[in-house]
Amino acid sequence: MRFINPKTDYAFKKIFGSEQSQDILISFLNAVLYEGNSTIRELEILNPHLGPRIRGFKDTYLDIKATIADSHGQTETVIIEMQVLNVEGFQKRILYNAAKTYSNQLAIGDGYTDLQPVIALTIVDFEMFPELDQLISRFVLKERTYLTDYSSIYDIELVFIELPKFQKELPDLETLMDKWLYFLKAARKLESVPPSMEAVPEIQKAFAIANQANLNAQELDELEHQEIFIQDQRNSIRKALSQGIEQGIEQGIEQGKLAAQRAIAQQLLGVLDDETISRTTGLDLEAIAQLRTDDSLNP
């Protein structure tokens, strides 16, 4: 058997976001949000599109948006996205989508007490927070100095899973979360369903959906185009990094370390966000913002 790459947009939606995938999504969310406990009892997959569009973004959409109800009757909205490239504006888009989903709950005449929590779950195929060791990072509203919670419930929670930090191999899988993350990371390379994963009905079903034999020619063509696009974008980033480093070294010999850093950052403006450029070059965010201003004044 050959399996499609679950990390591509089309495959991710097909596996986790279709009407017949509710049990798969419940199992996945219980695994990564609730430590494998059967917290989610019911789930409804909603319309994934948001409007209006924002200037500067090609699309303002959510990969999957669902309403979940737990065993205590608490209702929450969870928005799930798989992101394979660290593109400019990505982090702001996540926050925007979460805030918009939170505010859109109210109709005219509704009270603020009707607002239910929103969880934005984002799985990324790159390291977002290299300074943090944990695989999953959860951000909520807290007081800056004393870290006191803003409210008794987390109205908006941003959850990030960094797949490169998941290093377990097949013999090391223990928890339900381990198995789901291994599915996301390694399914494309497998030739059969591992027995330990086949024992989980929802994961077995996910493998069946991901089996290339169950896809038609149009679906396979769409997947191939997405894979090519992702690879082209990654190659563009590598090329920019390589050119930037080479140019930076040459200029650095003549002009010093700061000029070298600026030269590298200049090459990366069109392909990486400011925080990633800062981590790559060592320049602070203010200096990078100034480079963007200078670049916009020199068409």
Side-chain angles (χ1 to χ4, degrees):
M1 288 184 286
R2 296 186 62 187
F3 303 102
I4 59 178
N5 183 2
K7 292 183 288 187
T8 60
D9 181 66
Y10 183 87
F12 188 78
K13 289 179 182 177
K14 185 174 181 65
I15 295 167
F16 294 98
S18 61
E19 283 301 320
Q20 66 268 28
S21 301
Q22 290 195 14
D23 54 340
I24 293 175
L25 188 56
I26 287 175
S27 175
F28 177 74
L29 293 177
N30 277 332
V32 300
L33 295 178
Y34 303 108
E35 299 181 340
N37 298 315
S38 300
T39 301
I40 300 174
R41 298 298 188 185
E42 298 178 10
L43 177 146
E44 178 187 2
I45 297 175
L46 307 172
N47 184 348
H49 296 281
L50 282 180
R53 295 187 175 190
I54 315 171
R55 182 179 300 174
F57 291 146
K58 291 183 178 179
D59 293 289
T60 301
Y61 67 88
L62 305 174
D63 279 352
I64 302 169
K65 181 179 177 183
T67 298
I68 61 177
D70 63 23
S71 55
H72 303 292
Q74 175 70 48
T75 300
E76 298 177 317
T77 298
V78 58
I79 49 184
I80 309 107
E81 180 174 348
M82 178 74 225
Q83 184 75 20
V84 296
L85 296 171
N86 190 7
V87 296
E88 185 178 359
F90 161 63
Q91 289 177 300
K92 290 186 179 296
R93 188 187 78 218
I94 298 298
L95 182 58
Y96 169 84
N97 283 337
K100 189 170 182 66
T101 299
Y102 185 74
S103 64
N104 278 350
Q105 296 179 69
L106 295 185
I108 296 176
D110 290 343
Y112 293 115
T113 55
D114 295 330
L115 288 167
Q116 301 294 329
V118 169
I119 301 173
L121 170 62
T122 307
I123 305 103
V124 298
D125 200 26
F126 50 87
E127 284 198 8
M128 281 193 66
F129 311 108
E131 68 279 12
L132 302 179
D133 294 331
Q134 67 257 33
L135 170 67
I136 299 180
S137 301
R138 306 181 77 139
F139 296 88
V140 295
L141 292 173
K142 287 180 176 289
E143 199 281 328
R144 177 176 291 184
T145 303
Y146 296 100
L147 301 181
T148 303
D149 290 331
Y150 180 74
S151 63
S152 58
I153 60 172
Y154 295 147
D155 297 290
I156 297 179
E157 183 175 9
L158 307 182
V159 183
F160 296 92
I161 301 176
E162 300 171 81
L163 285 181
K165 292 181 179 179
F166 181 73
Q167 299 293 328
K168 291 187 177 182
E169 298 298 334
L170 190 58
D172 307 319
L173 305 183
E174 299 175 351
T175 66
L176 182 61
M177 184 181 75
D178 289 345
K179 294 173 182 178
W180 272 120
L181 296 186
Y182 187 81
F183 169 80
L184 284 176
K185 196 169 181 179
R188 186 185 180 192
K189 301 177 183 179
L190 299 176
E191 296 180 354
S192 61
V193 183
S196 62
M197 300 178 72
E198 194 174 28
V200 181
E202 295 82 5
I203 295 181
Q204 184 181 25
K205 184 176 178 180
F207 270 110
I209 296 174
N211 190 342
Q212 285 192 17
N214 296 329
L215 274 64
N216 59 42
Q218 182 178 355
E219 290 175 317
L220 291 172
D221 185 61
E222 173 66 24
L223 283 165
E224 182 180 4
H225 277 83
Q226 288 194 6
E227 292 273 17
I228 292 172
F229 172 78
I230 291 169
Q231 190 59 45
D232 286 347
Q233 294 300 306
R234 283 178 171 161
N235 287 339
S236 296
I237 293 172
R238 291 192 190 101
K239 183 177 180 180
L241 282 169
S242 177
Q243 291 177 342
I245 291 170
E246 289 176 4
Q247 184 177 345
I249 290 174
E250 293 175 1
Q251 293 187 6
I253 294 174
E254 300 175 1
Q255 302 173 20
K257 181 179 177 181
L258 179 59
Q261 290 172 312
R262 290 171 58 87
I264 295 172
Q266 191 75 38
Q267 295 292 326
L268 301 177
L269 291 179
V271 291
L272 296 178
D273 62 273
D274 289 3
E275 291 186 1
T276 304
I277 295 174
S278 177
R279 293 196 298 266
T280 302
T281 64
L283 288 176
D284 60 36
L285 293 174
E286 183 178 352
I288 295 168
Q290 184 60 49
L291 283 176
R292 288 198 182 277
T293 301
D294 295 343
D295 191 56
S296 66
L297 296 177
N298 296 281

